[in-house]
């Protein structure tokens, strides 16, 4: 997920209305002391270059490619559901779009351990998943029907504010905003007819523009998902597929060895573990503890659909999938996990347990997260994700770097 930061003035304009997160008292605990670093285990059994090559190939063929294939297929289905809604709006059609959105979210969030290569270089991550949204600009586009405002041109530059502004009015979360309200699919029967960005409702006055906005966003999501899959599976920038580049690790795109690729895999896993704990959960918690309840709620990703916990859990499963070399929770014989187990079974178990502990801690947060930001379970999930990130960075990566010694 690409996080977008706005000035406090802009934030206040977008989100100035009364809300509350939880009726629990804020305990405002002191920070936990830093744990004593654990010595890095030393590999003791033989692993060959061919073993490492096989692990890299399994990661690509057994994890990345099928995940991106599912993303492309599910976004095609999402686009179709939105098109059906556009043709015949109804509560049932809203529900169909909502279900298709949830189906599309799963492979995306399960891909966040590998946000490198095309997804980063072409700005596809923030195209599809920028958060928080610029609700004021979304409503302005809805009123103007200026769908060209959803696209940018030229080379991607993550520091380009104009591109960033475009990315904050499209993608999964814009479609979520237009599809869900308070954790449920929207209704075609307006209750208040509100045009305020914070309480906006579908109504007769905006129904055509609403459906067209949904369609424009869904089509862009489909295009980005297809680009991502084709870059990995067919051709990247007119050359070999990114899958072939990564598996060959012959210096192209900076990958010079199998170990270099495995370092990238572990770095991607550590990055998303840190993001989930420190940002996706941690940012709302910090804001809440500072007394900024409103801001805390709006910092929660996927709060319109109340899908935050499952998003974050799928982020952790993306780590599991990368380590296991599979998508179904089984450990592939050519996975990084299998290599680690070959030389140190206890350490492999430690990594597996840390991954599962993070997923379990996230699922233990009372639902929805937006109403339980100050819960002890949220802080426990932050800690579990932090422990996982430290294990991956401080122990697993050095372990793998020495595995051929």
């Amino acid at each position: 997920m690409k996080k977008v930061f706005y000035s406090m003035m802009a934030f206040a304009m977008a989100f100035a209305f009364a809300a509350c997160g939880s009726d629990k008292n804020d305990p405002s605990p002191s920070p936990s002391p830093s744990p004593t670093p654990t010595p890095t285990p030393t590999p003791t059994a033989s692993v060959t270059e061919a073993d490492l090559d096989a692990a890299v190939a399994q990661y690509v063929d057994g994890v990345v490619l099928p995940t991106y294939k599912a993303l492309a297929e599910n976004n095609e289905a999402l686009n179709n559901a939105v098109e059906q809604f556009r043709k015949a709006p109804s509560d049932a059609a809203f529900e169909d779009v909502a279900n298709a959105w949830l189906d599309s979210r799963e492979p995306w969030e399960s891909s966040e351990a590998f946000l490198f290569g095309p997804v980063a270089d072409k700005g596809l991550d923030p195209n599809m998943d920028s958060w928080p949204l610029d609700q004021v600009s979304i409503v302005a586009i809805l009123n103007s029907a200026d769908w060209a405002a959803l696209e940018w041109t030229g080379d991607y530059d993550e520091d380009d504010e104009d591109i960033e502004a475009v990315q904050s009015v499209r993608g999964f979360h814009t479609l979520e905003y237009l599809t869900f309200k308070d954790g449920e699919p929207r209704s075609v029967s307006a209750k208040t007819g509100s045009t305020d960005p914070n309480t906006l409702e579908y109504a007769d006055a905006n129904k055509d523009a609403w459906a067209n906005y949904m369609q424009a966003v869904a089509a862009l999501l489909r295009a980005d998902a297809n680009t991502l899959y084709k870059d990995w599976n067919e051709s990247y920038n007119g050359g070999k597929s990114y899958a072939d580049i990564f598996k060959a690790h012959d210096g192209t795109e900076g990958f010079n060895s199998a170990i270099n690729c495995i370092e990238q895999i572990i770095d991607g896993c550590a990055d998303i573990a840190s993001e989930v704990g420190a940002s996706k959960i941690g940012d709302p918690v910090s804001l809440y503890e500072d007394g900024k309840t409103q801001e805390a709620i709006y910092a929660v990703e996927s709060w319109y659909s109340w899908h935050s916990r499952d998003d974050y859990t799928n982020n952790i499963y993306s780590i599991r999938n990368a380590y296991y070399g599979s998508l179904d929770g089984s450990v592939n014989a050519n996975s990084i996990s299998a290599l680690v187990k070959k030389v140190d079974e206890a350490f492999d178990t430690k990594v597996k347990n840390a991954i599962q502990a993070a997923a379990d801690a996230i699922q233990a947060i009372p639902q929805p997260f937006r109403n339980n930001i100050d819960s002890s379970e949220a802080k426990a999930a932050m800690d579990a994700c932090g422990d996982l990130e430290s294990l991956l960075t401080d122990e697993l990566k050095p372990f793998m770097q020495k595995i051929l010694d």
Side-chain angles (χ1 to χ4, degrees):
M1 176 193 72
K2 170 70 177 294
K3 293 201 75 174
V4 180
F5 297 92
Y6 302 104
S7 69
M8 289 305 296
M9 181 176 295
F11 192 92
M13 290 175 62
F15 306 132
F17 75 105
C20 63
S22 170
D23 59 3
K24 303 184 183 72
N25 292 323
D26 176 12
S28 299
S30 300
S32 301
S34 300
T36 302
T38 302
T40 302
T42 301
T44 57
S46 176
V47 170
T48 67
E49 288 278 4
D51 293 331
L52 298 177
D53 286 338
V56 171
Q58 179 58 32
Y59 167 80
V60 170
D61 297 335
V63 178
V64 178
L65 289 179
T67 299
Y68 283 152
K69 183 174 186 288
L71 181 68
E73 292 173 344
N74 290 6
N75 272 280
E76 181 70 35
L78 175 59
N79 184 74
N80 291 341
V82 171
E83 175 62 18
Q84 291 304 309
F85 175 86
R86 191 183 66 81
K87 291 178 179 178
S90 67
D91 287 354
F94 252 138
E95 185 172 356
D96 287 344
V97 173
N99 288 333
W101 185 90
L102 293 171
D103 288 344
S104 293
R105 264 323 258 176
E106 190 277 328
W108 172 256
E109 293 300 314
S110 298
S111 77
E112 290 207 18
F114 35 96
L115 291 179
F116 65 92
V119 70
D121 298 342
K122 295 186 175 183
L124 299 176
D125 173 17
N127 269 3
M128 301 178 76
D129 201 34
S130 282
W131 181 262
L133 300 177
D134 182 352
Q135 292 182 171
V136 171
S137 293
I138 289 172
V139 173
I141 293 170
L142 184 68
N143 291 334
S144 68
D146 180 14
W147 315 129
L150 306 180
E151 301 191 55
W152 55 271
T153 59
D155 294 332
Y156 177 64
D157 179 355
E158 66 178 354
D159 296 320
D160 188 316
E161 293 182 358
D162 291 335
I163 293 176
E164 187 176 271
V166 171
Q167 291 171 328
S168 69
V169 294
R170 59 185 280 179
F172 277 118
H173 295 300
T174 295
L175 189 54
E176 179 193 13
Y177 172 65
L178 295 170
T179 302
F180 291 90
K181 186 175 182 180
D182 297 331
E184 299 291 338
R186 287 182 178 268
S187 173
V188 296
S189 301
K191 297 176 179 62
T192 67
S194 173
T195 59
D196 184 282
N198 299 304
T199 56
L200 184 69
E201 284 195 338
Y202 177 95
D204 286 342
N206 62 21
K207 63 181 181 180
D208 291 338
W210 194 294
N212 288 332
Y213 200 159
M214 291 173 67
Q215 188 70 75
V217 172
L220 289 168
L221 280 168
R222 177 182 61 179
D224 286 338
N226 284 333
T227 295
L228 185 51
Y229 182 51
K230 288 178 180 178
D231 279 343
W232 270 89
N233 191 53
E234 296 178 14
S235 174
Y236 179 59
N237 291 338
K240 294 180 179 178
S241 70
Y242 206 84
D244 287 343
I245 291 170
F246 198 68
K247 288 189 288 187
H249 47 76
D250 58 4
T252 307
E253 297 296 321
F255 300 113
N256 300 303
S257 66
I259 281 292
N260 189 205
C261 293
I262 289 174
E263 289 173 335
Q264 173 62 76
I265 295 168
I266 296 171
D267 285 344
C269 292
D271 287 347
I272 192 58
S274 176
E275 182 179 336
V276 173
S279 297
K280 294 190 177 189
I281 302 173
D283 285 349
V285 169
S286 294
L287 287 165
Y288 195 97
E289 290 179 343
D290 288 343
K292 300 174 181 177
T293 306
Q294 250 178 269
E295 292 95 328
I297 292 170
Y298 280 97
V300 175
E301 186 183 15
S302 296
W303 77 263
Y304 305 113
S305 61
W306 291 9
H307 200 249
S308 309
R309 287 192 324 180
D310 288 345
D311 273 6
Y312 308 160
T313 302
N314 283 328
N315 290 160
I316 302 303
Y317 286 162
S318 73
I319 299 171
R320 181 200 66 186
N321 296 348
Y323 187 63
Y324 285 16
S326 73
L327 300 182
D328 62 2
S330 64
V331 178
N332 188 275
N334 290 322
S335 64
I336 297 174
S337 173
L339 292 181
V340 174
K341 183 177 181 179
K342 182 176 181 181
V343 298
D344 191 331
E345 185 171 356
F347 183 52
D348 174 57
T349 299
K350 181 178 181 180
V351 175
K352 290 175 178 174
N353 288 345
I355 294 170
Q356 191 60 50
D360 289 345
I362 292 166
Q363 282 294 306
I365 299 172
Q367 175 73 349
F369 174 45
R370 74 176 300 279
N371 292 352
N372 295 278
I373 295 170
D374 63 330
S375 65
S376 60
E377 292 89 349
K379 297 176 181 68
M382 288 172 59
D383 291 342
C385 291
D387 291 344
L388 175 58
E389 187 276 331
S390 295
L391 177 63
L392 296 169
T393 299
D394 299 335
E395 298 185 50
L396 180 59
K397 187 174 178 180
F399 181 93
M400 294 305 299
Q401 288 169 330
K402 296 189 295 184
I403 203 164
L404 292 177
D405 292 350

